[in-house]
């Protein structure tokens, strides 16, 4: 522990942000790293506590407490304070294949579980992680390191999101020959097209894909497994197959008028906006300029739609949330180190407040009808307020419409960001997979083997929609299980 009194001497400080009215002028990342001396002080706040919940990755109350990757945060915080970034990078990469992604998009369950945050503010772990990995790239420490020995075994990985990339990276390090299949035109999956540039610039993904390619991983893009290449062909060509296709089946809103034009799933909108930013010649994107936009869903994807719409010049943006407004501070029944169920005003909402003068979110509300004009395009939405009450029979909270609470919202564009349901049918049918009641791929308890011989599943299609850190963890774990299945043992961690 570099500075035992650091947590008493220094206040929490984070990387600064470009102001909302300035950053909405483009889709660039908008966080500005702090000065080196400030970074050392933030690292010095780490308490070297006896029980570092930051790295626990425990499930408490159905939510993650601490890092699911078990990142050794106290160790690399101490090394930053000691100005030993090279060693800090080594400790970081022990548990995390892609700090360049997680330090940008992870909601930081490590910080929510930080012991310093019990009676004070938590250590700025996420920003420190970002500083370490960018130091690595800036100083030539992230160059390709191909395996020196190959095993002769071949593995196909279907899907190049965080789970697929982590599995491919680990299996390649072990010496297996890995081919990654991606149905989109670029690798990255959710990272490439599900997360907008201002949160994760695509050059960051391309930088890592270049390294993985130089290390020997083969990427085949524009190939839709289950359609262009069938399961039987993969099983003939490869010793094992890892399915990491994500939970890419969006949850719909089956209200009257749903067939109206101008209604899109959120990820379709974000994907097409990103494609246009990467290639201005791509014209099939959705433009919110001058339109009233309604976003249905209050999660991260909904927030990304808010931020993207504002950058395109939307006339107004409203965001509907079925759940009640969270409290601003932890409730008594939500103690540390549980994930704090408190109000979070993310970048998109901050920008909406700056542009339009009010928070775009309307809580305890859902859509009752999509109203069309004479051309069949959505023109407004009929919404209704909800009341939440506890069901005496089941003990669960249930919602019901509030009589007479209907109201209308002008909207020429509607983005549905209501989450995802699980595995897409064509993949499950082609591989003849058994699914759970939640349409996730069924595997052996505590493992990743599917009901089909030599086929494994990981990530969101295995555990359901979740965080990038959980996807990376599952990618690492499925790689270890595949390696053991191939070789009889595994030395992957």
């Amino acid at each position: 522990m570099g500075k035992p009194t650091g947590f008493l001497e220094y206040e929490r400080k984070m990387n600064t942000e470009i102001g909302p009215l300035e950053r909405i002028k483009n889709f660039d990342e908008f966080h500005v790293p702090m000065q080196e001396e400030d970074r050392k002080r933030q690292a010095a706040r780490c308490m070297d506590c006896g029980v570092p919940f930051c790295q626990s990755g425990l499930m408490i109350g159905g939510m993650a407490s601490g890092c699911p990757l078990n990142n050794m945060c106290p160790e690399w915080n101490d090394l930053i304070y000691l100005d030993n970034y090279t060693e800090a990078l080594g400790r970081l990469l022990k548990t995390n294949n892609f700090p360049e992604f997680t330090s940008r998009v992870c909601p930081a369950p490590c910080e929510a579980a930080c012991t310093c945050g019990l009676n004070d503010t938590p250590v700025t772990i996420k920003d420190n992680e970002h500083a370490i990995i960018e130091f690595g790239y800036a100083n030539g420490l992230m160059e390709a390191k191909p395996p020196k020995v190959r095993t002769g075994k071949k593995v196909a990985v279907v899907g190049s999101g965080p789970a697929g990339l982590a599995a491919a990276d680990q299996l390649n390090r072990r010496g297996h020959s890995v081919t990654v299949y991606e149905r989109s035109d670029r690798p990255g999956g959710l990272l490439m097209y599900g997360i907008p540039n201002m949160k994760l610039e695509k050059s960051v993904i391309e930088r890592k894909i270049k390294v993985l390619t130089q290390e020997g991983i083969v990427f085949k893009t524009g190939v839709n497994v289950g359609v262009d290449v069938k399961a039987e062909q993969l099983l003939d060509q490869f010793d094992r197959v890892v399915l990491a296709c994500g939970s890419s089946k969006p949850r719909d809103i089956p209200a009257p008028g749903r067939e109206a034009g101008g209604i899109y799933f959120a990820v379709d909108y974000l994907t097409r906006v990103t494609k246009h930013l990467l290639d201005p010649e791509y014209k099939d994107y959705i433009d919110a300029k001058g339109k009233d936009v309604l976003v249905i869903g209050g999660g991260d994807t909904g927030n990304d739609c808010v931020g993207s719409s504002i950058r395109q010049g939307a006339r107004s943006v409203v965001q509907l949330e079925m759940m009640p407004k969270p409290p601003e501070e932890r409730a008594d029944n939500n103690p540390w180190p549980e994930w704090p169920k408190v109000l979070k005003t993310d970048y998109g909402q901050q920008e909406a407040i700056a542009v339009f003068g009010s928070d775009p979110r309307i809580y305890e509300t859902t859509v009752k009808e999509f109203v069309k004009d004479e051309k069949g395009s959505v023109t407004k939405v009929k919404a209704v307020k909800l009341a939440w009450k506890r069901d005496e029979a089941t003990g669960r909270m249930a919602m019901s419409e509030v009589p007479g609470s209907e109201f209308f919202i002008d909207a020429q564009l509607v983005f549905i960001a209501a989450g995802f349901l699980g595995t897409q049918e064509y993949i499950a049918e082609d591989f003849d997979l058994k699914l759970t009641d939640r349409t996730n791929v069924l595997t052996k308890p505590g493992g990743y083997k599917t009901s089909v011989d030599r086929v494994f599943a990981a990530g969101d299609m295995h555990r359901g929609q979740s965080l990038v850190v959980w996807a990376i963890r599952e990618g690492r774990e499925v790689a270890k299980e595949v390696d053991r299945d191939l070789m009889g043992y595994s030395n992957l961690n």
Side-chain angles (χ1 to χ4, degrees), residues 15-180:
N15 291 340
T16 56
E17 296 181 351
I18 297 172
L21 294 178
E22 183 64 26
R23 71 193 189 218
I24 62 172
K25 296 177 181 179
N26 54 58
F27 280 78
D28 298 340
E29 291 185 3
F30 53 84
H31 292 90
V32 181
M34 66 183 67
Q35 296 296 316
E36 182 56 34
E37 195 59 34
D38 288 331
R39 174 68 59 214
K40 291 178 68 173
R41 290 194 185 104
Q42 292 308 301
R45 294 187 71 239
C46 187
M47 301 170 66
D48 194 23
C49 50
V51 183
F53 282 89
C54 61
Q55 63 187 50
S56 63
L58 299 172
M59 295 299 293
I60 304 177
M63 303 184 77
S65 175
C67 180
L69 287 170
N70 307 124
N71 281 338
M72 296 176 281
C73 312
E75 293 190 27
W76 35 264
N77 277 325
D78 183 41
L79 289 164
I80 288 177
Y81 176 74
L82 297 174
D83 201 25
N84 191 346
Y85 275 82
T86 302
E87 186 66 24
L89 179 67
R91 303 310 289 165
L92 175 57
L93 294 175
K94 279 280 187 182
T95 55
N96 188 350
N97 299 69
F98 310 117
E100 56 270 83
F101 305 153
T102 55
S103 65
R104 287 171 165 86
V105 305
C106 181
C110 53
E111 293 189 15
C114 173
T115 304
C116 193
L118 176 58
N119 293 305
D120 195 356
T121 52
V123 175
T124 56
I125 302 170
K126 181 177 173 179
D127 285 355
N128 292 351
E129 177 184 359
H130 183 267
I132 294 169
I133 189 62
E134 291 306 318
F135 169 88
Y137 277 104
N139 289 274
L141 302 176
M142 295 300 296
E143 294 178 353
K145 301 178 181 65
K148 295 179 179 180
V149 178
R150 290 290 179 183
T151 64
K153 305 293 185 180
K154 297 191 298 181
V155 181
V157 176
V158 183
S160 65
L165 289 179
D169 189 20
Q170 292 292 98
L171 289 166
N172 183 65
R173 291 181 188 182
R174 182 69 163 94
H176 306 309
S177 297
V178 181
T179 301
V180 178

Side-chain angles (χ1 to χ4, degrees), residues 1 49 84 113 143 168 182 185 194 214 220 259 305 308 325 375 390 414 437 464 486:
M1 185 176 182
C49 50
N84 191 346
E143 294 178 353
E182 170 56 54
D185 60 339
Q214 292 171 343
K220 294 190 175 183
E259 73 283 359
C305 289
S308 297
K325 183 178 181 179
K375 296 181 180 179
R390 190 171 299 280
V414 176
D437 294 338
L486 285 168

Side-chain angles (χ1 to χ4, degrees), residues 295-309:
V295 179
I296 305 173
D300 289 339
T301 303
N303 171 71
D304 292 337
C305 289
V306 172
S308 297
S309 299

